[in-house]
Structures are given as structure tokens and as C-alpha cells.
Amino acid sequence: MGEQPAGPEAPRSAGRQSQHGATALERATRALRTLSAGNRILLRATDEAQLLEDMCAVIVGTGGYRRAGVVYAEHDARQSIRWMVWVREQDGRPQSQDIDWLNRFNFTYADDASGKTAVGTAIRTLLPCVGRDVLNSPVYADPGMAVFRAHAIVDGYAAVTAFPLIADGKALGALFMAATEPDAFDDEEVRLLSELADDLAFGIASLRLREQHRVAQATIERLAFFEPETGLPNRVRQQQLLSDALKRANANDVPLSLVHLKICRFNEISHVFGYRIAGELVREVVRRLLEWTTPERSLARIGEACFSMILYGSGSADAIDFARALCHALDEPVDLDGVVLDAPVHAGVASEPAGRTDADTLFKHANAALYHGVPVNDRVTVAADARLEDHAGRLALMGDLRRAVEQNELRLYCQPKVEIPSRRVAGAEVLVRWAHPILGMVPPVRFIKLAEQSGIITRVTGWLLNSVFGALRDMKMQGTAQAFAINLSAYDFRNPSTVRQIENLLSAWGVNPALVQFELTESALIDDPGATLVALSRLKSLGVELLIDDFGTGYSGLSYLQKFPVDGIKIDQSFVMPMIESSDSAAIVHSTIELGHSLDLHVVAEGVESDAIWQRLADERCDIAQGYLIGMPMPVEQFPQWLADWAARGATPAAGKPP
Ligand code: G
Ligand code: G
Ligand code: MN
């Protein structure tokens, strides 16, 4: 610098040439230039620290001021000021400087010696503070301020000003500027630059408001996507995660499965033990489930007692194994304040092998698997046919089914049962088949549920009963009468008109009711034990035999068995088939036979596919066997021939018969 200023109170007025070459007009012009560039910065600002830096850079770069900086007012006892940014021109462009050294001076905005700086004064008074002729002004002679005078000399400025940054009537901090001329910052320039400071304060305040909104938004999202009781992602979030995972699986060509889990008898538990215990149970189950999660297996809570786990990279078989192991691992009773609860978990699995399904559909499939699925083992069910979830496919199939009954596309099959100790034939189970003109033989799992939901089941059952009684009469005439076991759906056997129809058929055809049996799946019975008891008693009063089908897959307590008027139980094939290799399955088969016998029920094992299984069942004193070893399901007209063959072979399975 080197020039000697005239003094702090040198008069200044518009148009008058100052000693340093900048007229008042020029000063107003640079202030205006700064103001409009500052506005552009404000419009673009998204980040507070960046805004401060950009604003100072504009003041130096566009405005031509020597220095610019921003301080914030701390709300501590000392009333500290904190330098946020400090910019000077360097190598022809504005550059941000180190601020730590400035902060080490511990200046304040307090009304004492440490608060005398321009920025301190601006914050304290809420007014712009101008310090002209820094090099000569007595203010800067003070020992505490000497550092500024020294700095001004080194840095080449002679006038400084600080504007309070006011929001909501309070100073957030101050904007500091320095100019080369000792008499810079006349009234007009200060008025214009005050506007800039006001704009900056407004910008800071709106960014802070925006940030508050963002935080609020994040909180809202957290509440919308996470479940408060356990902190797990909720259903909505899980569907998003699933959608992302499916895309990733698709791109990497890996399989993906979705496991849905529910705590069995949860409603009963919360009813009996109350809300608090039920809540604790859920938290304990979650704690155990979390031990099984990994980054590739994300867990969510999708219902009060329902959970969802995405298995990235697992195909159907892996997922089923995993789900079963998971369910078994959760078997250990839960001790809640001395209340020891058995709360087994059941799983439904849906898989997506080749990235053809969207998240919504897969999610629905997993629910269908959980709530209306068919068992694949003691704990896991899968959707009977995922394609049936497709509305168009369902509607088409339903229309077809209505026609099928009228046009005689349904076929009566049967599968023999044999008494194990004597090898005598013990009747046959009747199985319906649908000879669809395009789809071929459609198995009942694909249409019985659908028929129930659409009400067509009454026609199917009507057709079935007529056909079975017709067949019974035919066999009676041929002298080959055998008991036939008819599967009744839950809907059927609760329907009083079905029972009336059976009664009418029995008397119309003169059939011995002892030759008629009904198989009712365990899951259909436990839905509503009260209604079940009434319906079973009504059926039983006709003199027919009643069997509980798929026994072991219903996850129910066993006490109801004593109450229901049933004659036998059929152990589900999912326990019988693996009983040689799996000691778990063998144990279930063993205890089911014992339980059945202790209640005076006869026990049928289905899915007998090998001599080894037959032998084991014989050792366990199981009464009756049914399965491929003895005979495959066959058209009912072929049954008399099978009976003759069986007798001719000396009541032994045909060699190599199982497929
Ligand atoms: O062989 P199969 O796929 O038929 O048996 C599948 C399931 O369909 C079995 O659980 C069987 O009980 C059931 N099912 C077979 N025929 C009928 C029927 O006529 N009515 C009902 N409700 N279920 C049947
Ligand atoms: O659920 P329900 O018991 O009604 O089912 C009978 C079903 O079991 C029929 O679909 C029948 O084809 C099938 N089934 C009967 N015996 C065997 C067997 O030994 N192995 C297998 N895999 N399935 C069998
Ligand atoms: Mn059956």
C-alpha cells in the first residue's frame, strides 16, 4: 500500500474523486456488481458451507474487494465468534484461507475488549460497523487489536466493514469485507452491501430450514418404513428392498427366494397371555431371527406375528432347506417372566429362478405359500401353483372348470390302500383328475382351491359324489366291493347340503355306509374347532368312517383329536417318504402311530414308496399303507383288475412298480 490516508473522518460524497482513485460512483458500482452476483449464488445454493465460500469468492472475485469472510456467533457464555470462511485473492482468483489461526484469537461479540473487532461490534449492535483507515485509526492502536493492524499492513487493506447477518431479529454472525482504500465503504456502498448481507442471512436461514425439513422428512420416512416396536423394516420397505434385490439378481443371473414366516398360534397366545407377553414373544423371536440374517438375507416384520426374509442367491431347494432349519432353530421354548411358551414358527417359500417375476407378485406368492400353500416338509409350505396367483390365468381356468364339470372332463382315479400285517386290501382313496383339452391332466392341487374360492366346488363335489357312488354300486354288482375314501374340502364338509346329498345317495344306491370314508385335511379341521365338531358329528351320524388327512402338517395341538369323532389318521407323505434317512421324520412317524393307537384310531401311512419304508412301518405297527410301492393312482375302472393282480401275485407289490 504505502499511501497515507487523510484520516478516519475524511469527508466523502458521491462523484468526488478520492485520493486513491475510486470514486463514490465506482464504489457504488462495485457494490451493485457484487450484489447481483451474490444473488445468483443464493439462487443456486444447496449447502450452507458452500454458500459462505461462494459468497466470499464473489465479493473478492467479482466485487474486487481485498478480503471477505464470515463469522458465526456462538451462543456460549463467552459469546464467542467463530470464523467460518476467509477468502483473499491469490494468483488472480479468490481463494479460501486457513481460518484456524483466526479462531485462535478467541474474539467475541461481548461488550468488552475482546468484542471490539468490526465483526464483534456488528453482531452485538446489529448494525454495520465500518473501520476506515485501519492503519491510523486509534481503535486499532489498542494492544488487543494490534494484530489487525499488522495484518492489514501485510495484506494490503486499509478499510474494513462488518455487516450483521440477521435472521428472525437475531444475529447469526457477520459478513466481513476489507478494501484497499482507507476511505472505502461510504454510506451508499454500505447501504448496498447491507442488502447483500441481508440476502446472505436469508440464504443461510432458508438452507437451515431446508435442512430441518430434510431431517423431518427422514424421520417421517423412518416411521413410514420401519416398524417401531422392533425397529425392523416394515412391509412397504421390504417390498422396496425386494424390488432392488430382484433387479440385482436379474442382472447377475442368480436365483432369489422369499421366505415368509409366522408364529403359530400367536392370536391364541395374545388372547390367553395378553398383549405384553405377546409383544415380548415377538421381540424374542426377532432376536432369534436376527441371528440368521446377513447382508444377503434381510429381515422385515410384515404383520403382527409375520416376518419376511429375502434370500438373495438361494434357489427354491436351498430356500426350503434354509426355512426348515430356521423354523427348527426357533423351536426352543421361550421363557417370558416365568411363562414358558412353545411358539413354533412356520414358513412359506416362494422362489424366483430367472428374474421373471416382479416384487409384488413374488411377495404375493410368498404369502400364498404361507397361508394357502401345500406342505413340502413339516415346517414349510409352497404355493400350490404360483401361476394361479395370476388373475387372468385364474379367471380362464375357472371358466374352464365350470365347463369341465358339464362336459365330463373330470375323471375318477383311485389309489389302493393295504393293511400292513395281513397285506389285505383296505379300500382305495378316490382322487379326482381333470382331463383339460389343452393343459392335459390337471392335478387337483391346481384347481380344488380355486373351485372353493369361486363356489364351483359344489358342482365338483356333486359330480364326484355321484361318480363315486356309481362306482361303488358297479363294484358291488361285480362282487368286488371295496371301501372308497373321498377327500372333502373344508368348504364341502361344513356345507349341510353336502351332507344331505351324501345321505340321499347312500339310500338311493343302497350302499353300505361302512364302505364310505371321508378324508379331511388337518388344516381344514383346526380353522374353527367348534364348527368342525358340529360338521364332523353330522357326517359321522350317517355311519361313514372319518379320517384326518395330511396329519402332522397342521401344527395344531393334539387335544382336539380326542374330541372329534374320527376313526383314523393318515400320516402325511412328507414324513413317511424321508423316514429312512431322516431320524426327525422317523420320530414323527413313530409318535404319530403311538398317539393314534392310544386314542384307538387306525393309522394310515401315505407315500410308501419302498420295501424299506414298508418294513419300518411294519416294525412300528402302522396299520395301513398307501403309496407307489403298492399302487399308483389309477382310473377307477382299472381298480377291479388291480385287485385281481394283487391277489394273483400273493398280495405283493409288482416288481419295479414305483416310477
Ligand atoms: O394325487 P393328487 O395330486 O390327487 O392329490 C392332491 C391333493 O388333492 C390331495 O391332497 C387330495 O386329497 C386332493 N384331492 C384329490 N381329489 C380330490 C377331490 O375330489 N376333492 C377334494 N376336495 N380334494 C381332492
Ligand atoms: O393329501 P392326500 O393324501 O389326499 O394326497 C394323496 C396324494 O399323494 C395324491 O396326489 C397321490 O398321487 C400322492 N401319492 C400317493 N402315494 C404316493 C407315493 O408313494 N409317493 C408320492 N410321491 N406321492 C404319492
Ligand atoms: Mn387324501
Side-chain angles (χ1 to χ4, degrees):
M1 332 213 312
E3 300 100 323
Q4 282 302 308
E9 300 311 321
R12 298 161 305 279
S13 59
R16 184 165 171 256
Q17 179 78 37
S18 93
Q19 298 171 15
H20 305 284
T23 62
L25 183 61
E26 283 164 341
R27 284 197 288 266
T29 309
R30 75 178 174 190
L32 276 170
R33 205 164 54 221
T34 312
L35 193 53
S36 85
N39 273 327
R40 285 195 296 277
I41 294 293
L42 278 167
L43 287 174
R44 290 202 309 262
T46 54
D47 174 81
E48 187 173 328
Q50 192 63 48
L51 168 64
L52 303 184
E53 213 172 308
D54 290 351
M55 191 57 91
C56 291
V58 156
I59 292 166
V60 172
T62 310
Y65 294 93
R66 194 80 188 157
R67 287 286 174 284
V70 175
V71 299
Y72 279 173
E74 302 279 12
H75 299 286
D76 55 2
R78 283 191 62 242
Q79 302 184 299
S80 320
I81 60 174
R82 182 156 55 95
W83 283 89
M84 302 301 295
V85 56
W86 177 243
V87 172
R88 61 179 274 197
E89 192 217 81
Q90 212 173 0
D91 307 326
R93 59 194 177 86
Q95 296 209 350
S96 213
Q97 310 291 308
D98 172 48
I99 46 173
D100 289 347
W101 73 272
L102 276 169
N103 281 325
R104 277 197 290 273
F105 289 109
N106 292 324
F107 285 112
T108 70
Y109 55 95
D111 196 6
D112 61 26
S114 69
K116 280 220 188 84
T117 62
V119 286
T121 310
I123 291 170
R124 189 173 57 252
T125 61
L126 297 178
L127 292 168
C129 171
V130 182
R132 289 190 198 92
D133 198 10
V134 171
L135 303 186
N136 301 303
S137 158
V139 174
Y140 292 89
D142 187 293
M145 303 291 273
V147 58
F148 285 110
R149 181 168 285 170
H151 194 250
I153 294 169
V154 174
D155 260 14
Y157 59 83
V160 298
T161 178
F163 301 89
L165 296 170
I166 300 170
D168 273 342
K170 284 193 279 275
L172 304 170
L175 172 65
F176 171 90
M177 292 184 207
T180 327
E181 326 87 81
D183 63 344
F185 305 122
D186 62 26
D187 294 347
E188 179 62 3
E189 192 174 16
V190 165
R191 193 183 62 74
L192 290 168
L193 292 175
S194 287
E195 257 179 64
L196 179 73
D198 288 348
D199 290 349
L200 177 60
F202 174 78
I204 293 167
S206 25
L207 284 181
R208 287 183 184 178
L209 198 63
R210 212 185 290 175
E211 175 62 12
Q212 276 171 14
H213 282 171
R214 201 192 56 74
V215 171
Q217 191 62 35
T219 309
I220 290 166
E221 276 181 22
R222 193 164 42 72
L223 291 176
F225 292 135
F226 292 86
E227 186 279 306
E229 210 176 341
T230 59
L232 288 177
N234 64 10
R235 185 183 52 75
V236 177
R237 181 68 187 138
Q238 184 76 339
Q239 276 171 315
Q240 290 177 345
L241 292 172
L242 181 61
S243 177
D244 295 347
L246 270 175
K247 280 185 201 123
R248 211 152 41 91
N250 218 348
N252 299 330
D253 201 21
V254 298
L256 182 150
S257 295
L258 189 62
V259 178
H260 281 185
L261 302 144
K262 70 165 191 267
I263 304 173
C264 303
R265 301 194 331 245
F266 185 78
N267 284 342
E268 203 179 307
I269 290 168
S270 47
H271 189 71
V272 174
F273 296 102
Y275 191 70
R276 191 180 61 82
I277 293 278
E280 276 176 39
L281 172 65
V282 167
R283 280 186 291 278
E284 174 58 20
V285 168
V286 168
R287 202 186 57 69
R288 294 180 184 185
L289 284 173
L290 283 173
E291 288 173 11
W292 290 68
T293 59
T294 64
E296 301 293 66
R297 294 188 204 140
S298 48
L299 179 70
R301 186 179 184 195
I302 57 172
E304 199 180 14
C306 289
F307 305 92
S308 166
M309 205 187 269
I310 300 168
L311 301 186
Y312 182 84
S314 297
S316 165
D318 287 351
I320 289 168
D321 286 350
F322 173 83
R324 181 166 191 260
L326 178 60
C327 290
H328 279 284
L330 289 158
D331 267 350
E332 197 176 315
V334 183
D335 186 340
L336 303 167
D337 286 350
V339 181
V340 180
L341 286 180
D342 259 327
V345 169
H346 170 67
V349 172
S351 296
E352 173 48 22
R356 271 177 270 108
T357 307
D358 58 276
D360 267 9
T361 310
L362 191 59
F363 203 87
K364 269 192 239 152
H365 286 177
N367 273 347
L370 184 63
Y371 294 106
H372 324 284
V374 292
V376 285
N377 59 44
D378 58 336
R379 290 306 179 78
V380 181
T381 46
V382 296
D385 186 334
R387 275 168 296 173
L388 289 183
E389 287 300 302
D390 170 62
H391 281 301
R394 276 183 158 187
L395 279 175
L397 208 56
M398 230 149 67
D400 285 2
L401 185 55
R402 206 180 289 278
R403 193 204 57 218
V405 183
E406 281 152 20
Q407 304 194 350
N408 241 349
E409 285 172 14
L410 299 182
R411 302 277 179 273
L412 212 56
Y413 274 57
C414 70
Q415 186 179 29
K417 300 185 205 176
V418 166
E419 281 176 11
I420 295 176
S422 68
R423 295 175 180 265
R424 270 206 309 265
V425 177
E429 174 176 11
V430 174
L431 298 161
V432 69
R433 294 287 180 272
W434 177 8
H436 190 284
I438 297 163
L439 299 173
M441 263 324 168
V442 182
V445 284
R446 282 199 55 191
F447 63 88
I448 292 291
K449 197 106 215 162
L450 191 62
E452 281 182 16
Q453 287 162 352
S454 60
I456 301 173
I457 191 71
T458 35
R459 295 168 195 237
V460 173
T461 308
W463 174 89
L464 178 84
L465 290 171
N466 273 316
S467 311
V468 173
F469 279 84
L472 277 170
R473 188 221 29 202
D474 289 352
M475 291 186 66
K476 187 178 154 195
M477 309 258 282
Q478 293 170 8
T480 55
Q482 284 289 346
F484 272 150
I486 301 164
N487 289 290
L488 281 188
S489 71
Y491 182 94
D492 283 332
F493 92 90
R494 298 253 173 93
N495 183 353
S497 79
T498 311
V499 181
R500 264 199 309 281
Q501 191 185 359
I502 294 165
E503 197 173 4
N504 291 340
L505 284 165
L506 279 169
S507 65
W509 294 107
V511 169
N512 175 4
L515 289 182
V516 180
Q517 305 174 338
F518 292 100
E519 296 190 3
L520 310 151
T521 67
E522 186 185 9
S523 52
L525 298 182
I526 59 176
D527 265 6
D528 178 354
T532 295
L533 186 56
V534 173
L536 287 179
S537 309
R538 209 162 40 205
L539 260 182
K540 189 64 198 157
S541 69
L542 303 178
V544 298
E545 244 186 52
L546 301 181
L547 299 171
I548 300 182
D549 204 356
D550 306 326
F551 190 82
T553 60
Y555 328 106
S556 47
L558 301 170
S559 53
Y560 68 87
L561 261 185
Q562 293 164 297
K563 284 186 251 150
F564 291 165
V566 294
D567 304 282
I569 49 185
K570 294 185 80 177
I571 312 174
D572 194 66
Q573 59 194 37
S574 62
F575 305 112
V576 176
M577 290 195 300
M579 71 181 286
I580 304 292
E581 314 87 67
S582 153
S583 55
D584 277 3
S585 301
I588 292 170
V589 171
H590 171 83
S591 52
T592 308
I593 294 170
E594 286 218 322
L595 174 87
H597 286 167
S598 74
L599 295 172
D600 246 0
L601 303 174
H602 64 257
V603 182
V604 185
E606 14 165 84
V608 180
E609 289 190 354
S610 68
D611 286 319
I613 295 178
W614 173 286
Q615 198 47 55
R616 278 292 287 278
L617 290 167
D619 296 345
E620 299 280 3
R621 311 176 61 77
C622 183
D623 304 293
I624 294 174
Q626 177 185 350
Y628 293 171
L629 175 73
I630 300 137
M632 299 278 293
M634 63 190 81
V636 77
E637 311 81 59
Q638 293 173 14
F639 188 42
Q641 184 59 49
W642 181 89
L643 287 169
D645 291 348
W646 178 263
R649 281 197 309 270
T652 52
K657 191 71 193 276

